[in-house]
Amino acid sequence: MERKIEVCLTPALLDLYAIEESIVVVIDILRATSSMVYGIHNGAKAIIPVSQVEDCLNFKGLNYLLAAERNGEVVEGYDFGNSPFSYTTEKVQGKTIVLTTTNGTKALHMARSRAHQVVIGSFLNLDILCNWLISQDQDVLLLCAGWKDQFNLEDTLFAGAVVSRLRASFSHFDDSSVAAEDLYALAKSDVRTYLTKSSHSHRLAALNIEEDVLFCLQLNICEVIPILTGDKLVALPLA
């Protein structure tokens, strides 16, 4: 089977893609999908992504951890936001987390209604994700969460990293895939320095969370792939 890879550079463009037969990889490097991967890696039972802050309140009192982030900051009254340092084993093992973020959970909800499957990607699980995608007999769409429906650099760089690893196993690439791969080739020797140009990097610098950024750019420290099953992200069983 000839397989294709496409990169959707922002959720605002998702309606242009036929994804009914595609595995959609949702990407929100700074920081939602990185934290999701890290949380599942550290033993979280499940993560329930919800669209609105108010949706988290439906789960209050049910022994879930409630996590809400808007504009890079923890929403007042919630257990934590989307910093990966909140998703340590001590905090999340055996727990179900209800999470809403500015961009990542929105992209997840948009993808789930039509995609064949939805999985979560980050630099933290790059290789295991790519190896699994190669082993599947499906087209792949890399969905960049962006920033409030706009293009962003960090998600696109990750998409380019995936394209570069999958190139030999796929036959069709759209122009967004080519552009993402070229950007990654420019940046890969020092992704953090390259991202000093990015608007989101400046937003996060203002919040004094450089440690989060550095953490999210680590390669292959997690051996899990979160997959959306019903309304929950759980660890994909890997043989």
Side-chain angles (χ1 to χ4, degrees):
M1 172 184 170
E2 291 194 338
R3 292 188 289 169
K4 67 180 178 183
I5 298 177
E6 297 172 301
V7 174
C8 181
L9 295 170
T10 154
L13 297 173
L14 186 60
D15 286 347
L16 302 178
Y17 294 84
I19 58 173
E20 288 75 13
E21 301 301 322
S22 297
I23 298 170
V24 174
V25 180
V26 176
I27 305 161
D28 186 359
I29 296 302
L30 301 176
R31 297 163 286 168
T33 61
S34 301
S35 294
M36 291 168 182
V37 168
Y38 194 52
I40 296 293
H41 169 77
N42 284 328
K45 183 179 177 183
I47 298 173
I48 302 174
V50 297
S51 296
Q52 303 299 325
V53 172
E54 297 75 21
D55 296 335
C56 285
L57 298 178
N58 296 330
F59 296 87
K60 198 164 188 175
L62 299 177
N63 200 31
Y64 293 158
L65 293 174
L66 304 184
E69 170 271 335
R70 285 295 181 271
N71 299 315
E73 298 184 282
V74 179
V75 178
E76 187 176 349
Y78 289 81
D79 295 312
F80 45 85
N82 67 347
S83 168
F85 296 110
S86 297
Y87 291 74
T88 59
T89 303
E90 297 76 23
K91 292 182 180 179
V92 305
Q93 189 168 39
K95 301 280 191 179
T96 295
I97 303 156
V98 182
L99 172 66
T100 183
T101 71
T102 306
N103 304 293
T105 53
K106 174 186 174 180
L108 262 167
H109 277 266
M110 291 178 68
R112 67 183 286 189
S113 63
R114 292 195 292 123
H116 173 73
Q117 278 181 314
V118 178
V119 297
I120 300 300
S122 72
F123 285 109
L124 307 183
N125 70 337
L126 174 60
D127 281 354
I128 195 167
L129 172 69
C130 290
N131 291 338
W132 180 76
L133 290 171
I134 289 168
S135 74
Q136 304 303 297
D137 205 16
Q138 299 291 146
D139 295 333
V140 172
L141 177 88
L142 305 171
L143 173 57
C144 300
W147 176 258
K148 297 184 177 180
D149 278 343
Q150 296 180 333
F151 169 92
N152 77 16
L153 277 175
E154 62 271 12
D155 295 349
T156 306
L157 287 179
F158 177 78
V162 174
V163 172
S164 69
R165 283 162 170 77
L166 267 55
R167 175 163 289 286
S169 302
F170 287 72
S171 51
H172 298 288
F173 303 83
D174 64 353
D175 284 1
S176 297
S177 299
V178 175
E181 187 178 19
D182 284 354
L183 268 179
Y184 179 66
L186 280 175
K188 67 181 179 180
S189 63
D190 189 348
V191 171
R192 179 66 193 103
T193 297
Y194 189 86
L195 286 178
T196 57
K197 305 175 185 181
S198 75
S199 59
H200 199 38
S201 184
H202 290 274
R203 278 188 290 273
L204 295 178
L207 298 171
N208 196 29
I209 48 179
E210 173 66 14
E211 284 188 358
D212 282 23
V213 177
L214 293 173
F215 187 92
C216 292
L217 298 180
Q218 294 179 99
L219 287 174
N220 301 315
I221 65 168
C222 298
E223 291 288 309
V224 297
I225 303 170
I227 186 167
L228 193 63
T229 302
D231 63 351
K232 295 179 180 179
L233 289 165
V234 297
L236 176 71
L238 295 168

